[in-house]
Amino acid sequence: MAVTETERTAMRRALEIATSGPRGLNPQVGAVILSPSGETLAEGWHRGAGTAHAEVDALSKLTADAARGATAVVTLEPCNHTGRTGPCAQALIDAGVTRVVYALDDPGAESSGGAERLRTAGIEVVSGEQAGAAHDLIADWLELQRLGRPHVTVKWAQSLDGRAAASDGTSQWITGPEARADVHRRRAAADAIVVGTGTVLADDPALTARDGDALHTRQPVPVVIGTRPTPPDATVHRHPHAPLFFATHDVTAVVAALGERGVQRVFVEGGPTLASAFIAAGLADSVLAYIAPVLLGGDRLALTDIGVATIGDARRLQVDEWIPLGADLLAVARPVATRVDSVYRSEGS
């Protein structure tokens, strides 16, 4: 079934207004209701957990029967389940909508099936319009659905011979300013930055994302893992966000707890012990290795025990990018068994 140019324009608008909603446990979704003649009747978006979904938000702005014969253009398949709100598919049916155009199928085991419910009610349904843009909008949330937990990036800086520090423990700075600036840009894209208590005690890091001396507008929540107490005057306590402390070494439990808080992207840069714990637990969805052209020798390795006893157990990576950063080189990699689901990447109508 063909999508009209008016519907394409409405989908672009729906994608735009979807960003008005917060990122978190729920996807950002936008909706536009069009009259039979193609005029915009109402717009809506999801404002967060427990609030009306985008379609219902848009319908709430119309008088009774105003949506009869209308078309709903939505960035995500209307849901088919009752949670803190009712099923959006049924709300569209009750409103008298006769056509629904949406971008992405809902991947949820409980919430999917809205399209079939609409078709059963005699409503014309078209899917896949501007699916790539819609996927990019909620890629973090889709990843959360696929993994069942936040996406985890493990970062470290190392010398050419694989050391994270000199023999006396000093590590500032192995890499140059271009590499450090890249780290801060990537911190700003994360929801949480994770270190161990050992790093806090040894380096007293700020755990902020900075551009020179200025803070980035977006800051990750600082997370400290470990059983040793953090001094009350530690710099992390002056972070724009209140730090989260987990008195445990169970990184799997920590990631699960962060997911329950709505965290979608975790950035781990807490030193060799913590990085190795995440990798050993199979939690490293992507790896950032900043490699400096220096030799340090000694036993301060960038990684420690990651559960590899023999070459057959090696954790193999696929390097997606080699990025020069000044004199340094960044390897952007992911486990061979991990791939980003591309089912939503194709455009359709």
Side-chain angles (χ1 to χ4, degrees), residues 248-304:
T248 179
H249 297 292
D250 186 346
V251 294
T252 300
V254 171
V255 170
L258 292 176
E260 291 172 359
R261 290 174 174 266
V263 169
Q264 296 182 0
R265 290 199 168 266
V266 175
F267 195 75
V268 179
E269 56 170 309
T273 300
L274 193 65
S276 300
F278 273 88
I279 292 172
L283 293 173
D285 303 302
S286 57
V287 166
L288 301 174
Y290 293 84
I291 306 167
V294 297
L295 300 175
L296 294 176
D299 59 358
R300 302 276 185 162
L301 298 175
L303 292 178
T304 57

Side-chain angles (χ1 to χ4, degrees), residues 16-343:
E16 178 184 353
I17 62 177
T19 61
S20 301
R23 294 172 69 249
L25 288 174
N26 298 96
Q28 294 174 304
V29 180
V32 175
I33 308 297
L34 299 174
S35 73
S37 62
E39 297 174 347
T40 297
L41 296 174
E43 299 177 344
W45 63 89
H46 189 207
R47 289 170 168 78
T51 66
H53 289 187
E55 306 93 312
V56 175
D57 181 50
L59 290 172
S60 71
K61 300 170 184 176
L62 298 175
T63 58
D65 296 330
R68 296 212 170 272
T71 295
V73 178
V74 194
T75 58
L76 185 65
E77 177 186 7
C79 71
N80 192 40
H81 79 300
T82 299
R84 282 184 279 185
T85 60
C88 294
Q90 188 60 49
L92 292 171
I93 294 168
D94 294 342
V97 168
T98 57
R99 179 173 164 90
V100 173
V101 177
Y102 72 87
L104 296 180
D105 291 332
D106 189 324
E110 296 181 355
S111 55
S112 61
E116 185 58 33
R117 186 171 187 163
L118 292 166
R119 290 190 181 99
T120 300
I123 294 175
E124 188 176 28
V125 179
V126 182
S127 64
E129 171 59 26
Q130 297 176 48
H135 176 281
D136 291 344
L137 174 67
I138 59 171
D140 290 351
W141 180 80
L142 291 170
E143 181 94 336
L144 186 65
Q145 305 313 299
R146 183 177 70 83
L147 294 173
R149 58 166 177 78
H151 181 280
V152 176
T153 296
V154 177
K155 166 264 174 183
W156 67 82
Q158 67 171 67
S159 63
L160 194 60
D161 56 344
R163 271 60 180 178
S167 295
D168 65 353
T170 55
S171 61
Q172 294 182 337
W173 297 100
I174 291 177
T175 55
E178 295 88 351
R180 297 198 296 275
D182 185 77
V183 170
H184 282 277
R185 286 191 293 270
R186 294 175 187 271
R187 282 185 182 183
D191 299 316
I193 179 170
V194 181
V195 298
T197 52
T199 295
V200 172
L201 294 173
D203 299 336
D204 192 26
L207 300 185
T208 51
R210 301 182 298 279
D211 183 1
D213 293 330
L215 293 179
H216 279 281
T217 302
R218 192 170 186 277
Q219 292 291 323
V221 174
V223 178
V224 181
I225 301 176
T227 56
R228 286 182 286 180
T230 299
D233 61 346
T235 302
V236 70
H237 289 293
R238 298 193 291 276
H239 193 281
H241 296 300
L244 300 176
F245 296 93
F246 293 91
T248 179
H249 297 292
D250 186 346
V251 294
T252 300
V254 171
V255 170
L258 292 176
E260 291 172 359
R261 290 174 174 266
V263 169
Q264 296 182 0
R265 290 199 168 266
V266 175
F267 195 75
V268 179
E269 56 170 309
T273 300
L274 193 65
S276 300
F278 273 88
I279 292 172
L283 293 173
D285 303 302
S286 57
V287 166
L288 301 174
Y290 293 84
I291 306 167
V294 297
L295 300 175
L296 294 176
D299 59 358
R300 302 276 185 162
L301 298 175
L303 292 178
T304 57
D305 182 13
I306 58 172
V308 175
T310 179
I311 193 66
D313 297 332
R315 296 177 181 265
R316 301 194 179 276
L317 304 176
Q318 174 177 316
V319 177
D320 293 326
E321 292 183 275
W322 290 102
I323 304 175
L325 295 168
D328 306 315
L329 190 63
L330 168 61
V332 181
R334 54 192 163 93
V336 170
T338 299
R339 67 179 182 87
V340 175
D341 195 341
S342 60
V343 68

